[in-house]
Amino acid sequence: MLRWLRTLIPAIALVWMSCGIHAADDFAPLRAKMINDIADLTAETFAATGRPAIDPRVLDAMDQVPRHQFVRPGEERDAYENRPLPIGYGQTISQPYIVALMTDLMMIKPTDVVLEVGTGSGYQAAILSTLARVVYTIEIIEPLGKVAQERLQRLAYKRVNTTVGDGYYGWEAHAPYDAIIVTAAASHVPPALVRQLKPGGRIVIPVGAPFLTQYLLLITKANDGTVSTRQILPVSFVPLVGH
Ligand code: SAH
């Protein structure tokens, strides 16, 4: 009996491990292609963004996070195409290139405390959590926030903390933040977010009217508290609602 167990247990462990490896490998080529597409687009948009290349740490993060786990069942293979996908409630998971660009602009250090407004699928939060010390993310649509929270727990993104609420007001309890990202378009920069940003910190946010031209903005707060804004690229986001 004991001998039988001794051979069976390693065999089970091997099958279990190879299943894990297999699951990761299935999408690895699609992920590699996604990273290539991001690099190509970065080169094409260089004149506008001023960024010749995405930080390799950001690309690494995008290579690690299984994007197919953040889309609706049956759409796993589409997850790696360079376009947004619906996630329910009229919302979308942002396109990979925009996720890469916004994350890159945040210039996250491993010690950073980061806030995300607009959890959606939880994908951007997962990417941020591989680069930062801790991520706080807030979602206004409760069922979306719940699903994202469960997904992030299941996939063991332990550095992400989720809540449901109106992110226009930030998340005061954990402020100040080293970097803030807003993944829905606001008509103006929410003043609370500027207040909750550390001196030396950065906000990446799309600003503009729904269905009209929106611009991705990079807002920096200097050490003396002076705020400056740079316009990066025309973009198209779902609106920041509430407030
Ligand atoms: N970052 C997400 C993309 C989400 S799309 C991802 O990686 O999948 C934008 C999200 O912002 C939507 O889920 C929308 O419900 C949410 N949102 C809109 N207005 C908000 C607000 N005031 N506070 C918090 N979330 C908001």
Side-chain angles (χ1 to χ4, degrees), residues 189 194-195 197 203 218-222 224-229:
V189 180
V194 178
R195 273 199 307 277
L197 186 68
I203 303 178
L218 172 64
I219 293 156
T220 45
K221 194 190 244 186
D224 67 1
T226 322
V227 173
S228 54
T229 302

Side-chain angles (χ1 to χ4, degrees), residues 87 91-94 99 116-125 138-141 144 165-168 183-184 238-243:
I87 54 172
Q91 307 303 318
T92 54
I93 175 173
S94 307
V99 173
E116 178 192 29
V117 175
T119 314
S121 67
Y123 177 69
Q124 174 77 69
I138 179 164
E139 168 59 51
I140 204 165
I141 299 177
L144 274 182
D166 188 347
Y168 178 83
T183 63
V238 295
L240 188 79
V241 297
H243 46 277

Side-chain angles (χ1 to χ4, degrees), residues 74-137:
E75 295 183 359
E76 287 86 353
R77 297 193 76 77
D78 298 338
Y80 293 100
E81 285 175 22
N82 192 32
R83 59 184 167 97
L85 284 178
I87 54 172
Y89 301 90
Q91 307 303 318
T92 54
I93 175 173
S94 307
Q95 79 182 96
Y97 163 71
I98 288 291
V99 173
L101 177 64
M102 290 176 86
T103 310
D104 189 58
L105 290 166
M106 292 169 82
M107 298 184 78
I108 296 171
K109 297 183 296 305
T111 48
D112 281 358
V113 178
V114 172
L115 173 69
E116 178 192 29
V117 175
T119 314
S121 67
Y123 177 69
Q124 174 77 69
I127 298 283
L128 295 170
S129 78
T130 68
L131 299 163
R133 179 159 70 81
V134 59
V135 176
Y136 295 96
T137 180

Side-chain angles (χ1 to χ4, degrees), residues 45-49 97-98 101 105 206-207 213-217 230-236:
T45 50
F46 170 43
T49 63
Y97 163 71
I98 288 291
L101 177 64
L105 290 166
V207 169
T213 310
Q214 307 160 355
Y215 273 93
L216 192 62
L217 304 185
R230 221 186 94 202
Q231 201 168 289
I232 305 290
L233 208 65
V235 286
S236 174

